[in-house]
Amino acid sequence: MRTLSIAATGMLAQQTNVDVISNNIANMNTTAFKRQRAEFHDLLYQQVQRPGGATGPDTKAPSGIQIGTGVKTGAVYRILEQGALHQTDNPLDVAIQGKGYFQITLPSGETAYTRDGAFQPSDQGELVTAEGYPVQPGITIPQGATDVTISKTGEVQVKIAGDPNPQTVGQLQLATFMNESGLEAQGDNYYLETSASGQPTVANPGEPGLGTLQQGFVEASNVNPVAEITALITAQRAYEMNSRVVKTADEMLATTSQLR
């Protein structure tokens, strides 16, 4: 009886669906988090009779007989829509309004990409992430700076005590990819380039195809709690229905085993 294995694939698929939804809900307050969505594909079909197969000397089957064997998880997509911008009034917090990723140098020397712009100064004044990883290209806030200004196009300027003229100390840049969904999530709000994402295109904020920067803001998660809870209920009911199919198949097998 194929029913048991078919229902089992349905239960496994919905288990994956619940895992994805629970991760979305867990990260509903994570800075710049992008929610995910599970997509499912049907499995191979048993061709009892192919559509168009001959049923007689001059006749063909209009639809045939194809029996499905279940479902599988085809992909887990990342939804890249813009999250809301929350004001923090921290001059080193920077949000991206539109497309683009900040570039971060990891301890391994690799370049990671993130939309989490909650930056801080290191003990040397270098602009770093919460983990202490430097932002590319390197920007150092000089000692004695009384004010830091980051323009919409990424120019970083500071004011030094006793000097009325602001000094430019660096230029933030953004990276974009042909397929952002192909980036590999690493945790800590970091992504890595893959062959699926393509190579990054790096330019200043505000240039064609890139967003602009908002100083004193961070991007919130784009998770919608109401939508996620609704999806969770739907996944739970689908899991229950598949488990009911398993129970029904078991009862049918029990009936068959009792025939005399």
Side-chain angles (χ1 to χ4, degrees):
M1 181 179 289
R2 289 182 294 266
T3 307
L4 282 171
S5 61
I6 293 173
T9 65
M11 293 176 70
L12 289 172
Q14 293 308 319
Q15 181 176 321
T16 301
N17 196 15
V18 171
D19 289 342
V20 172
I21 295 170
S22 63
N23 185 60
N24 289 342
I25 295 174
N27 286 281
M28 60 185 296
N29 290 320
T30 300
T31 302
F33 177 80
K34 302 302 180 186
R35 73 181 189 273
Q36 294 178 296
R37 182 187 68 214
E39 295 287 341
F40 302 101
H41 296 167
D42 50 355
L43 293 176
L44 293 174
Y45 286 79
Q46 180 184 3
Q47 300 286 353
V48 178
Q49 185 179 52
R50 291 185 177 276
T55 58
D58 300 311
T59 58
K60 297 179 180 180
S63 60
I65 302 174
Q66 299 175 293
I67 300 177
T69 56
V71 63
K72 68 175 181 178
T73 304
V76 177
Y77 292 103
R78 188 174 296 110
I79 310 299
L80 300 171
E81 68 180 5
Q82 175 84 45
L85 301 188
H86 288 179
Q87 188 169 4
T88 65
D89 293 326
N90 181 353
L92 294 183
D93 283 345
V94 187
I96 302 173
Q97 180 71 50
K99 296 187 65 176
Y101 293 84
F102 296 111
Q103 302 171 91
I104 308 298
T105 302
L106 299 179
S108 63
E110 291 181 287
T111 298
Y113 303 90
T114 183
R115 287 181 64 89
D116 182 357
F119 301 137
Q120 302 174 33
S122 69
D123 58 345
Q124 303 297 320
E126 187 177 15
L127 200 63
V128 298
T129 66
E131 292 76 23
Y133 304 153
V135 181
Q136 298 180 18
I139 296 174
T140 300
I141 308 299
Q143 188 173 7
T146 59
D147 187 36
V148 179
T149 302
I150 302 175
S151 71
K152 290 181 179 294
T153 56
E155 186 179 36
V156 183
Q157 293 184 323
V158 300
K159 286 186 178 180
I160 305 297
D163 187 350
N165 299 316
Q167 298 180 11
T168 300
V169 296
Q171 170 70 50
L172 286 172
Q173 293 185 315
L174 298 178
T176 57
F177 297 85
M178 285 296 295
N179 176 25
E180 295 180 40
S181 296
L183 292 170
E184 181 182 352
Q186 294 295 298
D188 292 327
N189 293 345
Y190 298 132
Y191 301 96
L192 292 181
E193 171 192 343
T194 68
S195 58
S197 68
Q199 295 183 343
T201 300
V202 179
N204 293 339
E207 294 193 5
L210 286 173
T212 57
L213 303 185
Q214 297 290 329
Q215 184 182 16
F217 289 80
V218 293
E219 183 183 0
S221 168
N222 68 356
V223 173
N224 183 329
V226 175
E228 296 300 327
I229 292 298
T230 303
L232 181 62
I233 294 172
T234 302
Q236 180 184 5
R237 296 306 179 207
Y239 189 92
E240 290 175 356
M241 285 186 283
N242 279 283
S243 67
R244 182 67 61 86
V245 172
V246 171
K247 182 178 179 181
T248 300
D250 179 57
E251 291 173 354
M252 293 171 65
L253 288 172
T255 300
T256 303
S257 67
Q258 293 171 10
L259 291 176
R260 296 182 180 177

